[in-house]
Amino acid sequence: MSENVYFAAFFFPAAAAVVIFFWKYVAAVMEAKVRLAQDEAYRDIAAKAVAAQADTAQALATVGAALADIQSRVTSLEKILKEVE
């Protein structure tokens, strides 16, 4: 009977230590997977932001060109109106 007690006294704490280290390892693996997924999400957001910024810059350039054209037309219209007076 005493052999069983000694066996249990050593086995259960050793088994508990193994289980604790196993769960610690599993938690580290899961944390790494979550960080990887989070990094991928940040990369996707950054790529979308760069694309949106490029589109905005292109639209701003188009609006600037249109504004310059309108400004030149207004200037020529002012010249014509001054000549008419």
Side-chain angles (χ1 to χ4, degrees):
M1 182 80 172
S2 65
E3 289 179 10
N4 289 337
V5 172
Y6 287 124
F7 178 71
F10 288 116
F11 174 75
F12 289 121
V18 169
V19 169
I20 288 170
F21 284 118
F22 173 75
W23 281 112
K24 191 173 182 180
Y25 173 75
V26 168
V29 169
M30 290 175 64
E31 182 180 353
K33 286 182 181 180
V34 168
R35 280 192 181 167
L36 181 64
Q38 189 177 24
D39 289 347
E40 289 296 324
Y42 281 138
R43 284 188 191 103
D44 290 342
I45 290 171
K48 288 177 184 177
V50 168
Q53 189 175 11
D55 290 344
T56 303
Q58 184 180 9
L60 185 59
T62 304
V63 168
L67 182 61
D69 182 46
I70 291 171
Q71 192 172 13
S72 67
R73 288 182 183 190
V74 167
T75 303
S76 65
L77 186 60
E78 285 176 352
K79 283 182 182 178
I80 293 172
L81 288 175
K82 285 183 182 179
E83 289 176 5
V84 170
E85 284 182 358

